[in-house]
Amino acid sequence: MRLILLGPPGAGKGTQAKMLKEKFHIPQISTGDILRQSVKDNNELGIKASSFMDVGELVPDDVVIGLIKERIKQVDCETGFILDGFPRTIVQAEKLSETLNEMGLLIDRVVDLEVTAEEVISRLAGRSTCPDCGGMFHEESRPPKVSGICDGCGGVLAQRQDDNSETILKRLDVYQESTAPLKQFYKKQGNLKAVTARGSVEEIFSRVLEMVK
């Protein structure tokens, strides 16, 4: 099973990807994670990526696609994978399709998590994350057992600097301009399924499962 999760910031892509990973025992591939790992490993693509990241520039699509290709070649991806937050533009989607075709692979399902701007603001403004293990919490829907402390590893929770109403609206504008057109791209390919991302995490997950089974 090879999946892509689409949706605006705060739609719950990371949370749903983790639940799919546990359910189907396939890896969750986050471009941020593989970029950091490649830089840490100091391999050829990691060195290239680092040269852009060190000066605050976006890593070129070709380098990111190369990293994803190397990741997909690993043994744990033989039975499938979940792409979380990539592609973000039509150009990236086209390059990803070309790369997968060269590898003899296809994306089985693209799940679009639909959520309103009001809900996104509510979710992100109250969100905190653990910098140590990546655990995510929300002051209303998923508060930690001890305020400010991660349930999983005991790390100190923090709010992202861009999780404020003004910045969130700007991020949503960017999403609508660059990422939302991906819906039409995958709709033409016949593998796009929309899921209403309202309700509890478990309710949303049950809808996602209906779309991927």
Side-chain angles (χ1 to χ4, degrees), residues 45-156:
L45 286 171
I47 293 170
K48 281 186 181 179
S50 182
S51 68
F52 293 93
M53 294 164 68
D54 289 346
V55 293
E57 294 182 5
L58 290 175
V59 179
D61 290 343
D62 288 341
V63 176
V64 178
I65 291 289
L67 288 167
I68 290 174
K69 183 177 181 179
E70 291 303 310
R71 180 66 184 88
I72 290 172
K73 285 180 179 179
Q74 295 179 22
V75 177
D76 62 342
C77 289
E78 287 182 356
T79 56
F81 54 82
I82 306 156
L83 279 174
D84 167 19
F86 189 91
R88 295 191 177 190
T89 65
I90 295 293
V91 172
Q92 290 178 347
E94 290 172 342
K95 290 184 177 181
L96 176 64
S97 292
E98 290 172 8
T99 300
L100 292 176
N101 286 337
E102 291 170 2
M103 300 172 73
L105 302 175
L106 290 172
I107 294 296
D108 297 305
R109 186 75 73 232
V110 179
V111 178
D112 177 35
L113 299 174
E114 295 185 332
V115 62
T116 65
E118 291 77 16
E119 287 176 290
V120 167
I121 292 171
S122 174
R123 289 180 188 183
L124 296 187
R127 183 174 72 172
S128 59
T129 59
C130 176
D132 298 326
C133 72
M136 298 182 69
F137 300 87
H138 191 278
E139 59 187 20
E140 293 180 3
S141 60
R142 195 187 175 194
K145 294 176 182 176
V146 178
S147 180
I149 302 297
C150 175
D151 292 353
C153 71
V156 178

